[in-house]
Amino acid sequence: MSDTTPAPPAAWPLVVLFTAGYVAPYLLPTVVGRLDAHLPLSPAQAGLVGTALLLGSATAGFTLASRIPRLGPRQPARLGLLLAVLGYGTAASTTLLPLVVAGVVVGGFGSGSATAVAAAGIAGHRDPHRVSSFGLLSVSATAGALYLTLPHLGGGHGLPFAAIALVAALAWPATGRLGGPTRPGPAAVRSSGRPPYPRAGAVLAGCLLFWSLTQEALWGVSGRIGAEQAGLSEATLGAVFAVALGAGLLGVTGASAFGTRLGRAVPIGAGTAAIAGCVVLTASADGLAGFAAGEILWNAVYPVVLSYLIGLAAVLDPRGRWAVFAGAASSLGTACGPVVGSLLAEAFGLPGMGLVLGGLLLAVAGPLTAVALHAGRAQAAAATAGEPVLRGEVLTPAPGPGPGTGPAADAPVRVRRTPRRILLLTPTAARTRRAAAKDRF
């Protein structure tokens, strides 16, 4: 019986959804800064509103992680975009704090839904690293353009929210290229259940929580560092952020072109260590030169490492479950980041905060590198043993002799997963097993 699971969707709708989901966290410094400046909120309270947005996004990821294969990507993507437009639109159109907070939470859930659908779809592609790189390129370019534009469009807290809602609305046509719910075929049923490599996946998700927490802790107070410690105006800050995101474009472009020639362990481990140094440099900056250097170097390396981490999650489970779980854990860490950054800044000062965050990044670099090495060894062992590699629902034979070098009747037709390996059953082997089963009964 043939499998009825649809082929993976085209890459560009996933890139559009990725952009719509990630643009809110990318704009968090200006969102928090404007909430503090234009509403009766202290810096810590404004940071809590940003945390509420990101908690809503994390909740969506954990909620949808096991449901996207059953629901199909189109329905949750459209629901997420609709919630993003309604939530952020409400937050932009009112100054009543309860409505602003409610709109932020609803919009955050919508952003997280779009991100979860994009992550699951990216994991099913033959080259998830390249697709995730395109997504990071798109969101970096969008956020950079908004950082350059928003300071010239006037004040008020609602403008960043309106921009995020507009990006979500513009992403709606892309959902027409996503698949709807389908009846799962035999291969989909057999590969359902808990994701493979549970230990490696759990370590990846846990480390990503702290990895993202440190990034967002600094990103959430970057506006404060630039304004209070480095003495920069809002326009200058916006220009620095735009240039930094432009550096991210160059970094991701290079990573996409280079691919996985060095594997994933080196970019993840060395890149995380480099980010730790950038965090310390940025947090200790007392002028334009130091602040700009730290922000630009950091934003050039951060999306590169993130693209490899997304690809690593896809390798651990091509059906996208670890990608969604890891993304939700990352969103949870991102949600806690602004509050953690504010608390550390109050307790140790901004330079002291940078040292603590840099140390935390160095602590998670080792486990992340170990998971990447484990995944690389597992892939190499599967290729050496001639086992097939599953990408989404497509059975891809491992490298080996081409067609015509073996009996055509014994071509691979079915895959059964076990916790530690993939068993390849040929028609001959399947008939033998059925005969043995009849003999037993």
Side-chain angles (χ1 to χ4, degrees), residues 15 18 122 127-139 252 256 303-304 306-311:
V15 171
F18 190 94
I122 289 171
D127 194 349
H129 172 72
R130 184 174 296 274
V131 179
S132 63
S133 296
F134 284 141
L136 289 167
L137 283 171
S138 176
V139 72
V252 176
S256 176
V304 173
L306 181 59
S307 69
Y308 284 99
L309 289 171
I310 294 172

Side-chain angles (χ1 to χ4, degrees), residues 207-227:
C207 288
L208 261 176
L209 188 153
F210 292 104
W211 189 88
S212 298
L213 182 148
T214 58
Q215 314 290 327
E216 202 62 36
L218 180 64
W219 191 238
V221 297
S222 286
R224 180 179 168 188
I225 295 172

